[in-house]
Amino acid sequence: DAGVIQSPRHEVTEMGQEVTLRCKPISGHDYLFWYRQTMMRGLELLIYFNNNVPIDDSGMPEDRFSAKMPNASFSTLKIQPSEPRDSAVYFCASTLGGGTEAFFGQGTRLTVV
Amino acid sequence: KQEVTQIPAALSVPEGENLVLNCSFTDSAIYNLQWFRQDPGKGLTSLLLIQSSQREQTSGRLNASLDKSSGRSTLYIAASQPGDSATYLCAVIGNTNAGKSTFGDGTTLTVKP
């Protein structure tokens, strides 16, 4: 398996624009996680899904953030409208079962100017 | 609320030295603990996962221990090499939420040739 795949790797956008980040988990994994990493706050869990259903979105910072998982092999994280403080590296991870070894994608570095 | 602390924040050692990285957590009711490595600009790579019923796990030159009662885990790296230079993060999953990991801020290790 190619591992967790995220796209794009880098995204630069202007404030107010919509941003969509994409993730393909490892085939067969039933949990998918979205994290945000910044120097100030470290690695934060935003939301996670189990069998395509959102389980805990308490880490989503604002209503501007939304995440979907339409099928077992694809998830999106959308920010609309984007703001400079959203600049961070966004990671997707997947696991087979809850509380098992997590596998991370390479991340999307988002810069909002 | 679970809090995870990693000390020191940075560590520099000469090549060949054995070293220990520390991770402490406030709530001992954990499901498992996982150690990751992160290279600059990259995603997280899983190193070792310790289930709550285990005391230690070994992989090559790495050994991770877990003492739930004291809320501590250590990652021991034997015979360090320049290629071990990276940031090492620990993550804890609690018993009550199978998917939710809490990460420490990491220890940045530099191994000098």
Side-chain angles (χ1 to χ4, degrees), chain B residues 61-75:
Chain B
R61 294 183 293 108
L62 306 179
N63 176 278
S65 68
L66 174 64
D67 184 342
K68 270 183 35 178
S69 60
S70 66
R72 292 180 183 178
S73 176
T74 62
L75 179 67

Side-chain angles (χ1 to χ4, degrees), chain B residues 7-22:
Chain B
I7 295 174
L11 181 64
S12 180
V13 301
E15 181 177 3
E17 193 164 296
N18 302 326
L19 59 102
V20 174
L21 307 180
N22 298 293

Side-chain angles (χ1 to χ4, degrees), chain B residues 88-109:
Chain B
Y88 291 80
L89 298 102
C90 70
V92 172
I93 292 183
N95 279 331
T96 56
N97 191 329
K100 200 162 186 174
S101 290
T102 302
F103 279 80
D105 288 335
T107 294
T108 298
L109 173 66

Side-chain angles (χ1 to χ4, degrees), chain A residues 9 31 33 35 37 41-43 45 48 55-56 58 91 98-107 109, chain B residues 31-32 34 36 38 41-49 51 89 93 97-101 103-105:
Chain A
R9 290 294 312 278
Y31 280 78
F33 307 83
Y35 290 90
Q37 187 177 41
R41 301 175 67 91
L43 199 62
L45 176 66
Y48 78 91
I55 302 300
D56 187 335
S58 59
F91 287 105
T100 60
E101 186 177 14
F103 295 87
F104 278 71
Q106 292 296 295
R109 180 173 296 276
Chain B
Y31 185 76
N32 69 33
Q34 192 168 2
F36 294 88
Q38 185 175 27
K42 303 289 187 181
L44 281 68
T45 300
S46 176
L47 296 174
L48 290 164
L49 181 143
Q51 300 287 356
L89 298 102
I93 292 183
N97 191 329
K100 200 162 186 174
S101 290
F103 279 80
D105 288 335

Side-chain angles (χ1 to χ4, degrees), chain A residues 13-19 64 79-84 86 112:
Chain A
T13 191
E14 291 184 348
M15 182 174 62
Q17 296 297 306
E18 177 180 296
V19 175
R64 298 184 295 105
I79 308 172
Q80 165 63 17
S82 58
E83 297 182 3
D86 301 330
V112 183

